Amino acid sequence: MSNAVTPDPSQPEQAAAAPPPPPAAATAKPKLSTGMIAGLIVGAVVLFCCGVGVGSFGNDSDEKAAAEPKASVQAVAEPTVAPTTVAPTTTPPTTAPATTQPAPPPAPTTVAMPNLVGMNAAVAQDKLKRLGITNIKLGSGDKYDTLVILAENWTVTKQSHKRGTKVELDELVVLTCTKTG
């Protein structure tokens, strides 16, 4: 028994010959260097971190975005139509009758000083601030505690302006306090 292949008599002799092997350069796949692979990985990480090409996570707009085509796709898919120019119609401008609003009354520059004696220093300070007084100092009337640090721990014993006195909003108001508890 012979393993020899007999040529088909109906085929020309040249067709029976095997085609020559392709050159080695044509069949070899290009290899990526380590630097190129590292560059691709770094680029993918940067794009992922920046959100380029990645859908938004945890957003309800994913379903909406999937249902609606993107504007850039529509612009490419739809034919562009040149806008037609329409002659502008000339209508006289409408002018509303001039109405003059009265100017708001000027903000008060003085307020009546309330009675703050016996009140917690923090509450008294807040009350003055709500009235618009901006220059408030807390002083100590205690012999051993000479610095008011937490107003919540102090009680007003004296005030620099008597109750009912008109005080400028930027005028210095001194509340003398004693430490409670």
Side-chain angles (χ1 to χ4, degrees), residues 108-113 131-135 161 165-173:
T109 58
T110 61
V111 292
M113 182 69 173
L131 287 173
I133 297 175
T134 57
N135 196 1
H161 297 79
T165 307
K166 294 289 182 187
V167 179
E168 297 284 329
L169 295 179
D170 60 348
E171 188 174 343
L172 175 63
V173 174

Side-chain angles (χ1 to χ4, degrees), residues 121-132:
V123 174
Q125 193 174 23
D126 185 55
K127 189 170 188 174
L128 290 176
K129 285 180 183 178
R130 281 188 276 130
L131 287 173

Side-chain angles (χ1 to χ4, degrees), residues 60-154:
D60 293 338
S61 64
D62 289 342
E63 296 169 7
K64 184 178 177 183
E68 296 177 9
K70 298 208 183 274
S72 61
V73 173
Q74 286 179 350
V76 173
E78 296 177 3
T80 55
V81 179
T84 58
T85 57
V86 178
T89 58
T90 55
T91 57
T94 58
T95 56
T99 57
T100 57
Q101 300 257 346
T109 58
T110 61
V111 292
M113 182 69 173
N115 183 19
L116 303 172
V117 176
M119 196 177 280
N120 180 283
V123 174
Q125 193 174 23
D126 185 55
K127 189 170 188 174
L128 290 176
K129 285 180 183 178
R130 281 188 276 130
L131 287 173
I133 297 175
T134 57
N135 196 1
I136 307 164
K137 300 293 179 201
L138 300 177
S140 173
D142 285 352
K143 184 176 182 180
Y144 298 107
D145 294 314
T146 58
L147 185 61
V148 177
I149 296 176
L150 290 173
E152 297 87 21
N153 298 332
W154 296 75

Side-chain angles (χ1 to χ4, degrees), residues 12-79:
E13 199 169 307
Q14 291 178 352
T27 59
K29 293 182 180 178
K31 293 185 178 181
L32 295 176
S33 68
T34 307
M36 291 176 72
I37 293 172
L40 288 173
I41 291 172
V42 168
V45 169
V46 168
L47 288 176
F48 180 75
C49 291
C50 294
V52 177
V54 177
S56 58
F57 294 106
N59 232 346
D60 293 338
S61 64
D62 289 342
E63 296 169 7
K64 184 178 177 183
E68 296 177 9
K70 298 208 183 274
S72 61
V73 173
Q74 286 179 350
V76 173
E78 296 177 3

